[in-house]
Each structure stands twice: as structure tokens, then as C-alpha cells.
Amino acid sequence: MRGDRYTLTAPTAPSTARLAREFVTATLVAAERRLLIEPARLCVSDTVANVVRHARVPELTVEMTVHAENVVVAVRDDDPGRLPWPRQAVGGRGGDGRGLALVRRLSHASGVTWVWDGLDLVGKQVWFELRECAALAV
């Protein structure tokens, strides 16, 4: 179950969330998976924004794998020391703390995977899986 893989590497800049949204949109249009566009845009925007805000790295990678039954999107950064965790939403701070909860709610599955280079921990990736049957229910 290999799937078609697409990759975007970009700087950890505020504009990268917009670039990532455009990347997932173009990929899903090309793959004829239009029902997944809105949840993918919301989820990738939040995961990229978390890297830009919290990771201490110069760039990040967005990787999409399109399978017949699902699409998996992973946002990778090479900062293994700063772990993503769901937090309580802070009412007056514009949406802080809601990102990972939103990703969990909109996706079929999600999680964090460690990235290794041999025996060395070199990074992490936050991933989410989208399925068209779940997108219809959103």
C-alpha cells in the first residue's frame, strides 16, 4: 500500500501556512479528491502554524501520501526536543490551544511520529489521515 507521495519543503515563516494550504489543495485537486480539500487545509494550516510558532528550526516539510482509500498528511520539523501537546484553549488569545484538538476532530486519525537517523532522534512529524467518508460527515 504505497500510494503517491508529494513533498513541500519551506522555511518556518508566517507565510508558510498559506503555502501549505495551497500545496494540499493543488495535490488533492490533481488526485481528484476534492471532498478532502477543506479539512486538509484547516488541519495543515494548524500543524504548520504550530511548527512556525514553537519549533526552533529554519524549515519544515509537508508530505502528502495519496492512497485509494485515504490521504495522509505529515508536517515534519527537525526539533525533537519540543514536543507537540494538546492544550486547553485560551479564550482571549485568538484560538491558541485549539489546533491539535481541531486536527483530531476533522481527521480520521492523527498522531505524532518520531523521526530517526539510525539511532539518533532527529525530529518529529505530526500527521493526520483523511477519508472521504469522514469528510462527508463534517
Side-chain angles (χ1 to χ4, degrees):
M1 185 160 103
R2 191 144 170 96
D4 295 327
R5 185 169 289 170
Y6 305 87
T7 303
L8 166 73
T9 300
T12 51
S15 61
T16 299
R18 180 178 44 98
L19 182 62
R21 287 191 302 272
E22 293 170 4
F23 169 70
V24 298
T25 299
T27 302
L28 292 171
V29 166
E32 298 180 1
R33 306 297 282 278
R34 292 178 188 270
L35 290 175
L36 300 178
I37 290 173
E38 285 311 310
R41 287 173 60 88
L42 288 167
C43 291
V44 79
S45 186
D46 280 341
T47 52
V48 166
N50 282 342
V51 172
V52 169
R53 185 170 188 177
H54 300 293
R56 305 290 185 248
V57 293
E59 64 184 24
L60 59 84
T61 301
V62 180
E63 182 178 279
M64 293 183 66
T65 307
V66 179
H67 301 281
E69 68 286 346
N70 67 1
V71 173
V72 178
V73 180
V75 177
R76 174 186 169 164
D77 69 73
D78 293 335
D79 185 359
R82 299 180 63 88
L83 309 177
W85 73 91
R87 295 177 294 173
Q88 290 290 80
V90 179
R93 291 182 51 199
D96 285 355
R98 292 183 176 93
L100 291 177
L102 180 66
V103 170
R104 280 198 312 270
R105 196 176 85 146
L106 293 176
S107 63
H108 179 75
S110 63
V112 178
T113 303
W114 296 114
V115 178
W116 296 87
D117 182 8
L119 296 176
D120 297 321
L121 180 60
V122 295
K124 63 189 171 296
Q125 59 184 12
V126 176
W127 59 270
F128 55 91
E129 174 189 350
L130 300 171
R131 295 182 178 213
E132 287 184 348
C133 60
L136 292 173
V138 171

